[in-house]
Amino acid sequence: MLESAVKTIVEKFPDVTVLVNSNVGVASEFQDVGIHLPEDLCKFHSIAREKTSDKKTIGSSVHSVPAAEKADENGADYLLVGTMFESESHPGKVASQVVHISSNSLADTDNYSVHWT
């Protein structure tokens, strides 16, 4: 069922990047479909890469600076920063560090800097 839905989305929106959440098998069926892993599965980036290709986009959700560092070490192509601070939907969340990412251009992925404070 998921495979059929992804196929429909890829065909209907050919200019949009499509990521499949946690399902390496379905993502590997499509050339240009990437994989998004939740933070607790980021250790599987290398396995996902082995089962797909070096060109496949594989990223991860992160909810702390140490999780971001771990996902980077494991080969994530991108990080989706989730709840890192207290909010109405996440009361009591304690921020461990503040992250500032700057770039000259959002399209310029080779020219950015990350500052931990």
Side-chain angles (χ1 to χ4, degrees), residues 13 23 26 33 41 46 57 62 68 70 74 77 79 82 84 86 88 90 96 99 103-104 107 117:
F13 305 100
N23 196 317
V26 170
V33 173
L41 295 180
S46 60
T57 299
V62 295
K70 187 68 172 171
N74 286 319
D77 295 314
L79 302 175
M84 294 181 85
E86 182 172 21
E88 286 185 31
H90 294 82
S96 59
V99 180
S103 172
N104 294 337
T117 57

Side-chain angles (χ1 to χ4, degrees), residues 101-115:
I101 301 173
S102 61
S103 172
N104 294 337
S105 164
L106 291 177
D108 184 6
T109 57
D110 293 329
N111 186 19
Y112 65 91
S113 59
V114 178
H115 307 279

